[in-house]
Amino acid sequence: MIPLALLMICVAYLFGSLSSAVVICKAFSLPDPRTAGSKNPGATNVYRIGGRIPALLVLVMDILKGTIPVYSSYFLGLEPVLLGLIAIAACLGHIFPLYFGFKGGKGVATAFGAMLPIGLDLAGLLILSWVIVVFLTGYSSLGALVAVSLAPLFTWLIKPLYTVPVLMLSLLIILRHRENIARLMSRSEGKIWDKGNTKE
């Protein structure tokens, strides 16, 4: 079980290291998301510099980077805590991509994808939480922080067995957003529709 888990952790990290934002921006002849806009290679920044279609493609690819390794590991019979480590590895690949100079995104979509195998009810609650916060405030980062903070509670109510792995994943995403938290507190965070925003 442990050798298989270690293998899947490595696979998840390598899979997560595929920077969807960089690949999609190159395909659409858009500026490098690591040097344009907020300089964050994620779907939100791609939306600002390239519009809906490239951003949607980035979002889908980033989600799959979390879903595929975790779902595959689930079918291989790995325990929930090991699934949590595999999910974290996929997110770390996105955050610190091996193929792109270890400069990646925040890992929100990949974390969401890693939680997706738990169930569509959890996915729906996370999306709803994000949408409500963004609709009310305009801050994508705040929506992500609220959603991941609620994720362990939602998981405990839906499938308690996976609460600890989800908590591990949520803590990683919150830690990754520490600069956003500071900007939100100082009211200097950019809103999702601010095309010229250089902070995310």
Side-chain angles (χ1 to χ4, degrees):
M1 187 71 71
I2 298 300
L4 179 59
L6 290 174
L7 174 63
M8 292 308 298
I9 286 171
C10 292
V11 169
Y13 173 75
L14 294 174
F15 203 65
S17 289
L18 295 169
S19 183
S20 309
V22 175
V23 172
I24 293 298
C25 282
K26 285 184 178 179
F28 281 81
S29 299
L30 296 171
D32 189 325
R34 295 169 297 179
T35 58
S38 67
K39 299 180 176 61
N40 179 57
T44 301
N45 192 33
V46 173
Y47 170 73
R48 292 194 185 103
I49 64 179
R52 295 179 182 177
I53 300 302
L56 180 60
L57 292 173
V58 170
L59 180 63
V60 171
M61 290 178 67
D62 282 347
I63 289 172
L64 290 176
K65 290 194 304 186
T67 302
I68 292 174
V70 172
Y71 222 174
S72 300
S73 301
Y74 169 79
F75 280 113
L76 289 172
L78 294 180
E79 298 294 325
V81 173
L82 294 176
L83 294 178
L85 293 176
I86 291 163
I88 287 174
C91 289
L92 287 175
H94 179 84
I95 295 168
F96 305 108
L98 178 65
Y99 321 119
F100 297 91
F102 300 100
K103 185 178 181 181
K106 298 295 174 65
V108 176
T110 303
F112 173 76
M115 296 179 197
L116 197 54
I118 294 175
L120 294 179
D121 41 5
L122 175 61
L125 287 170
L126 293 176
I127 292 171
L128 181 62
S129 301
W130 183 86
V131 168
I132 289 173
V133 174
V134 173
F135 177 78
L136 292 176
T137 69
Y139 296 115
S140 176
S141 58
L142 182 58
L145 285 165
V146 170
V148 298
S149 296
L150 291 173
L153 173 62
F154 291 153
T155 305
W156 180 72
L157 293 172
I158 296 168
K159 288 187 179 178
L161 183 64
Y162 297 100
T163 303
V164 172
V166 169
L167 177 61
M168 294 161 57
L169 202 54
S170 296
L171 290 174
L172 173 65
I173 300 304
I174 292 170
L175 181 63
R176 179 60 172 163
H177 280 74
R178 59 190 183 279
E179 293 179 0
N180 300 84
I181 294 171
R183 288 197 296 267
L184 284 166
M185 293 180 68
S186 66
R187 298 185 180 181
S188 60
E189 180 76 328
K191 295 189 176 183
I192 192 170
W193 49 71
D194 294 338
K195 295 290 185 178
N197 176 49
T198 58
K199 295 179 180 180
E200 181 188 327

